[in-house]
Amino acid sequence: MIIDGKAVAARVRAEVGEQVRALAARGVVTGLTVVRVGDDPASAVYVRGKRKACEEVGIRSVEHHLPATTTQAELLELVARLDADPTCHGILVQLPLPPQIDERAVLEAIAPAKDADGFHPFNVGCLWTGAPAPRACTPFGVMRLVDEVGLDLEGKRALVIGRSNIVGKPMAAMLLERHATVTIAHSRTADLEGEVARADLVVAAVGRAEIVRGRWIKPGAVVIDVGMNRRADGKLVGDVEFAAAAERASAITPVPGGVGPMTIAMLLANTAALAARSAG
Ligand code: NAP
């Protein structure tokens, strides 16, 4: 089974649209504010995509585009204003930030109750301790894909490859919460092939083209490929050798069209949930 991330993301957007309309009926206009600093071309594309998705589901999106020379104090001042603005339910500061700005200080300045990306340390703590809070969008989207496949994680061996704060670590927490036996692999892992061969679920979030060979996959395993890599020939590929892995896996995500569309859909879901909570 090839997991159709576009179709699942469309379903998530439809659900969020209903929530947003229900809030509107109570007089609450769900609002997401996106802050972009500088002129990183990839960030411009990502922000455009996020704002377009907001429009589609009825979320009011506002963008603050600041010059690359913005100081940390200026950015923190804007975040403080947004924290206090009742019409803004979710705040997203697009990364990366210019070198004069301390990313961690900015992410920590966002009120946890407005943290649309789920990156605030308070919300990360909520995830690990089982409290409801916005969740990092990419792993949150992976969980939705795993549920769509109908994989019961209880007692299964789940392997997460990658330990970043935005994908690998929160991914491991979400799988653990669902009673999987979780292994986290990273660049110092001694025997990646052996780890993959034991796993009932593989989530690859490395950023290296086809590093996970198809022949390593345990027959019947579910494979979720978060990686997005541009090959020398221009083709966009994942971290998993797709064709060979698809022959062994029971279900697998393609790249593109797998995890990618889910990330923005879960951002919308986080924003609607924040608006609902702020409206009581
Ligand atoms: P990252 O911060 O660079 O983390 C990569 C992780 O991979 C690190 O933990 C690193 O280990 C590990 N790694 C590197 N080489 C390895 C190897 N040979 N064997 C095993 N592990 C290895 O990247 P990220 O932000 O998590 O993103 C990972 C990938 O997902 C990228 O391709 C990115 O473009 C993609 N991504 C996609 C979406 C989406 O919406 N589809 C969203 C976010 C990210 P160490 O910690 O030891 O260095």
Side-chain angles (χ1 to χ4, degrees):
M1 173 190 178
I2 310 293
I3 304 167
D4 185 347
K6 275 193 209 164
V8 180
R11 282 204 287 281
V12 172
R13 284 198 301 274
E15 291 161 16
V16 173
E18 274 174 35
Q19 290 166 15
V20 168
R21 278 192 294 280
L23 283 164
R26 294 166 52 197
V28 178
V29 180
T30 304
L32 175 71
T33 301
V34 183
V35 180
R36 181 159 69 93
V37 186
D39 296 301
D40 177 57
S43 292
V45 172
Y46 292 145
V47 166
R48 222 177 9 254
K50 289 169 185 177
R51 296 198 64 199
K52 188 167 160 268
C54 281
E55 238 171 69
E56 220 183 283
V57 300
I59 294 176
R60 189 177 71 102
S61 85
V62 175
E63 180 180 355
H64 290 264
H65 183 198
L66 307 179
T69 51
T70 301
T71 64
Q72 177 159 326
E74 286 166 336
L75 182 54
L76 289 175
E77 198 265 328
L78 171 61
V79 170
R81 259 195 292 134
L82 297 173
D83 280 345
D85 176 355
T87 67
C88 161
H89 300 109
I91 303 170
L92 182 159
V93 177
Q94 184 66 43
L95 303 179
L97 292 169
Q100 74 275 17
I101 296 175
D102 175 2
E103 248 169 46
R104 183 186 286 265
V106 173
L107 295 182
E108 288 183 9
I110 295 171
K114 296 193 175 190
D115 174 28
D117 260 335
F119 292 163
H120 192 287
F122 179 85
N123 290 327
V124 174
C126 286
L127 171 63
W128 282 100
T129 54
R135 298 187 156 200
C137 300
T138 300
F140 196 16
V142 170
M143 292 308 291
R144 177 69 188 248
L145 293 178
V146 167
D147 287 339
E148 293 279 334
V149 169
L151 176 66
D152 177 7
L153 287 164
E154 189 165 333
K156 298 288 193 319
R157 287 181 193 274
L159 174 68
V160 180
I161 316 176
R163 56 174 164 179
S164 69
N165 288 331
I166 62 167
V167 189
K169 284 183 201 158
M171 185 78 258
M174 290 177 208
L175 293 166
L176 187 62
E177 182 182 46
R178 300 283 290 277
H179 312 298
T181 300
V182 182
T183 301
I184 307 176
H186 46 78
S187 66
R188 320 287 170 90
T189 294
D191 177 19
L192 186 61
E193 176 175 351
E195 299 296 346
V196 171
R198 271 188 290 278
D200 302 301
L201 168 68
V202 177
V203 180
V206 180
R208 298 210 176 182
E210 299 170 330
I211 186 177
V212 178
R213 310 312 293 174
R215 64 175 184 280
W216 298 354
I217 302 294
K218 179 176 168 179
V222 172
V223 178
I224 308 282
D225 194 347
V226 180
M228 291 201 296
N229 313 288
R230 188 71 64 185
R231 260 189 350 203
D233 62 5
K235 195 174 172 225
L236 188 66
V237 296
D239 291 342
V240 179
E241 189 191 15
F242 179 80
E247 283 182 14
R248 298 171 69 88
S250 61
I252 184 167
T253 56
V255 176
V259 175
M262 294 302 293
T263 298
I264 292 186
M266 302 324 277
L267 169 71
L268 304 177
N270 273 347
T271 304
L274 291 173
R277 199 169 307 160
S278 98

